[in-house]
Amino acid sequence: MHPAAPLLPPALDLVGIAIFALTGALVAARLQQTFVTMTFFALITGVGGGSLRDLLIGAPVFWVQDRAVAPVCLGVALLAWITPVRWWEGRLLEWADALGLAVYSVLGTMKALAWDVPPVPAILMGVITGCVGGIIRDVLAGQPSVLMRPELYVTAAALAACLAGAGMAIGLPPGLTWVLAVAAGFALRGAAIHWSLGLPAHRGPDPS
Amino acid sequence: MHPAAPLLPPALDLVGIAIFALTGALVAARLQQTFVTMTFFALITGVGGGSLRDLLIGAPVFWVQDRAVAPVCLGVALLAWITPVRWWEGRLLEWADALGLAVYSVLGTMKALAWDVPPVPAILMGVITGCVGGIIRDVLAGQPSVLMRPELYVTAAALAACLAGAGMAIGLPPGLTWVLAVAAGFALRGAAIHWSLGLPAHRGPDPS
Amino acid sequence: MHPAAPLLPPALDLVGIAIFALTGALVAARLQQTFVTMTFFALITGVGGGSLRDLLIGAPVFWVQDRAVAPVCLGVALLAWITPVRWWEGRLLEWADALGLAVYSVLGTMKALAWDVPPVPAILMGVITGCVGGIIRDVLAGQPSVLMRPELYVTAAALAACLAGAGMAIGLPPGLTWVLAVAAGFALRGAAIHWSLGLPAHRGPDPS
């Protein structure tokens, strides 16, 4: 009834989830938490956004019936536990997260469109897929979330999701739409990392 | 199978969502956030409560398959971005929010009853519909939520939802039940705004 | 289609929910909140974990179509409101919570397996059932959650859920699996209470 074909090659999909899960486990490691807490953070960051998307569009939650996703998140937590934190403190992880953000925002939009969600909510599903895992991670850790920081994070997800929605709406081939939307989202997030770009903030309450 | 007829005239429904969304966007504006963050807050505050209700009762999430709700929330965020905050600082918004609270609490209860939820859980679904969007907004913003403040907010939602559930249980006509329940919830919330009424607090741990 | 037989005798199930609900109501009481807030905390703590589990596995949410669960949570909030807090400050409640944690972690795993969830995600569903209500309670109250404390809480849930999953995988009779898994989880949590045991924490960022 609904499309069963995977939207990404399964191995690539697991790599993306593992990157997000690693950012979660490392937040817990920096807070000097236990292995069990690191596992919980790895899982919620890796699958949180996609879980909310699937609940909202009425799809079976992608990782619950899957034999590989949860073990991958557990393995990532173990890796983060046994390796020195400084291995992960370079910019590589940040750039990997930028790529994961762009890929998952496009994936979320494409999946929502495949489930007959209209374009504007489908774009929002893409943003949710890319960002919500990290937002829950930050709320649980009691730190300011990506949502509340001016750097271009949610914005890069929104760009990727919008281009994915627009490309499908005007009839571009899906493969081309994927490439363009991921490239644009990744480029914007990368520019934000490299040049510390941020959006302008609201001026707040009017000065007296 | 399940009732497809709308419970509120669609235009009125959108006005209610827009009011809630505006309160969310303004919280983000006061915190000097970016336009993207304001949009996220507008959306979660506008549709958060109804989304949780629909997930819990097993209904399709109301705004995901709808072409109008998400664009309305985006438009509200834009409006909040381009207008001075002081336009919205009078009591008008607070009173509009009070009306929205009463209407959505009744709507949530009525929808749950229409989906064969028993009376007590159905009343709780009404309270969730009215209050949860604002609670998520406050948790994300890191500020004390309406849930933790003594003012009569959740209580007014509970009154409206209880009267809606009671009216349907004793067989009042639906139209009359709507009017009575909304009027009572709005009157209680309005009295709380006007006279700064609050519930008594628990005395806390026993004095030594 | 799916197993309709209850996994626990209904009365025992309600006792477990009531214990969790009481811990939620007492957190609100210590924070000197109102009766309405105490009710909200009782409900979210009592049914939060099981609700998330049911949403994730695609089951109808257990308390929404049930006539007894929501009234029990309301009754518990009323009991917490009218009795002195010191009645509940002994260790009895902590031990009752330890038993509830073990029972619900096993119950969540068993229910997920009955819904054809593979073993590893099913074990995670058990942990979610046991712990998530308390985590949401703590986030709403703005206090450090059980997730972030080193004491063996989530770990005890994980032990009970793992043994339940392992027992079913190797073909132990369900009754024996129940007893062994609950006993092990309760014993570990009890040992943690009695001897203040905790997991080792991550060493944090590397020393310079």
Side-chain angles (χ1 to χ4, degrees):
Chain A
M1 177 172 73
H2 273 294
L7 293 161
L8 268 186
L12 197 61
D13 202 0
L14 286 175
V15 169
I17 290 167
I19 290 168
F20 280 164
L22 184 57
T23 70
L26 290 173
V27 165
R30 292 201 185 97
L31 292 169
Q32 305 194 16
Q33 294 294 322
T34 69
F35 176 64
V36 170
T37 305
M38 286 173 68
T39 304
F40 209 103
F41 270 76
L43 191 77
I44 196 108
T45 314
V47 305
S51 299
L52 180 57
R53 172 204 63 213
D54 287 345
L55 291 175
L56 290 173
I57 68 177
V61 178
F62 71 103
W63 62 277
V64 173
Q65 302 291 345
D66 187 287
R67 290 184 178 273
V69 173
V72 161
C73 291
L74 302 189
V76 163
L78 186 61
L79 179 72
W81 177 258
I82 63 179
T83 55
V85 169
R86 70 165 182 282
W87 281 23
W88 311 107
E89 284 188 330
R91 289 234 143 159
L92 178 62
L93 183 64
E94 206 170 4
W95 284 90
D97 181 71
L99 185 57
L101 180 72
V103 169
Y104 278 92
S105 300
V106 176
L107 173 66
T109 302
M110 293 297 199
K111 182 165 182 179
L113 290 171
W115 279 75
D116 297 328
V117 174
V120 174
I123 289 168
L124 294 170
M125 292 302 139
V127 178
I128 287 170
T129 307
C131 301
V132 162
I135 292 172
I136 300 174
R137 173 197 66 204
D138 294 340
V139 167
L140 286 178
Q143 63 187 23
S145 72
V146 288
L147 183 59
M148 306 295 282
R149 294 199 302 255
E151 64 187 86
L152 294 166
Y153 192 92
V154 182
T155 310
L159 176 65
C162 282
L163 289 180
M168 298 305 281
I170 64 173
L172 286 189
L176 180 61
T177 303
W178 263 96
V179 169
L180 289 178
V182 168
F186 179 63
L188 181 58
R189 178 67 192 138
I193 293 172
H194 192 70
W195 289 292
S196 299
L197 300 183
L199 279 187
H202 191 274
R203 62 215 164 273
D206 312 298
S208 56
Chain B
M1 177 172 73
H2 273 293
L7 293 161
L8 269 186
L12 197 59
D13 202 0
L14 286 175
V15 169
I17 291 167
I19 290 168
F20 279 164
L22 184 57
T23 70
L26 291 173
V27 164
R30 291 201 186 96
L31 292 169
Q32 306 195 15
Q33 294 293 323
T34 68
F35 175 64
V36 170
T37 305
M38 286 174 66
T39 304
F40 209 103
F41 270 76
L43 192 76
I44 196 108
T45 315
V47 306
S51 299
L52 181 57
R53 173 204 62 212
D54 287 345
L55 290 174
L56 289 174
I57 68 177
V61 178
F62 71 101
W63 61 278
V64 173
Q65 302 291 347
D66 187 288
R67 290 184 177 273
V69 174
V72 161
C73 290
L74 302 188
V76 163
L78 185 62
L79 178 72
W81 178 258
I82 62 179
T83 55
V85 169
R86 71 166 179 282
W87 281 22
W88 310 106
E89 283 189 332
R91 289 234 141 160
L92 179 60
L93 182 64
E94 206 169 4
W95 284 90
D97 181 71
L99 185 56
L101 180 71
V103 169
Y104 278 93
S105 300
V106 176
L107 173 66
T109 302
M110 293 298 200
K111 182 165 182 179
L113 290 171
W115 279 75
D116 296 327
V117 175
V120 174
I123 289 168
L124 293 170
M125 294 300 138
V127 178
I128 286 170
T129 307
C131 300
V132 162
I135 292 171
I136 300 174
R137 173 196 66 204
D138 293 341
V139 167
L140 286 178
Q143 64 186 24
S145 71
V146 288
L147 182 60
M148 306 295 282
R149 294 199 302 254
E151 65 188 85
L152 295 165
Y153 192 92
V154 181
T155 310
L159 176 66
C162 282
L163 289 180
M168 298 305 281
I170 64 173
L172 286 189
L176 180 60
T177 303
W178 263 95
V179 170
L180 288 178
V182 168
F186 180 63
L188 181 58
R189 178 68 192 137
I193 293 172
H194 192 69
W195 288 294
S196 300
L197 299 184
L199 278 188
H202 191 274
R203 61 214 166 274
D206 313 296
S208 55
Chain C
M1 179 170 72
H2 273 293
L7 294 160
L8 270 186
L12 196 59
D13 202 2
L14 286 175
V15 169
I17 291 167
I19 290 169
F20 280 164
L22 184 57
T23 70
L26 290 174
V27 164
R30 292 202 186 96
L31 292 169
Q32 306 195 14
Q33 294 293 322
T34 69
F35 176 65
V36 169
T37 304
M38 288 174 66
T39 304
F40 209 103
F41 270 76
L43 192 76
I44 195 108
T45 313
V47 305
S51 299
L52 180 56
R53 174 203 62 214
D54 287 345
L55 291 174
L56 289 173
I57 67 177
V61 177
F62 71 101
W63 61 277
V64 172
Q65 302 290 346
D66 188 287
R67 291 185 176 271
V69 174
V72 162
C73 290
L74 302 188
V76 163
L78 186 61
L79 178 72
W81 177 258
I82 63 179
T83 55
V85 169
R86 72 165 180 281
W87 280 22
W88 311 107
E89 284 188 330
R91 288 234 142 159
L92 178 61
L93 182 64
E94 206 170 3
W95 285 90
D97 181 71
L99 184 57
L101 180 71
V103 169
Y104 278 92
S105 301
V106 176
L107 172 67
T109 302
M110 293 297 200
K111 181 165 183 180
L113 290 171
W115 280 75
D116 296 328
V117 174
V120 174
I123 289 168
L124 294 170
M125 294 301 139
V127 178
I128 287 170
T129 307
C131 301
V132 162
I135 292 172
I136 301 175
R137 172 197 68 204
D138 293 340
V139 167
L140 286 177
Q143 64 186 24
S145 71
V146 287
L147 182 59
M148 306 295 282
R149 295 199 302 255
E151 64 187 86
L152 295 166
Y153 192 92
V154 181
T155 310
L159 176 65
C162 283
L163 289 180
M168 297 306 280
I170 64 173
L172 286 189
L176 180 61
T177 304
W178 263 96
V179 169
L180 288 178
V182 167
F186 180 63
L188 181 59
R189 178 67 192 140
I193 293 172
H194 192 69
W195 288 293
S196 300
L197 300 183
L199 278 188
H202 192 274
R203 61 214 164 275
D206 312 296
S208 56

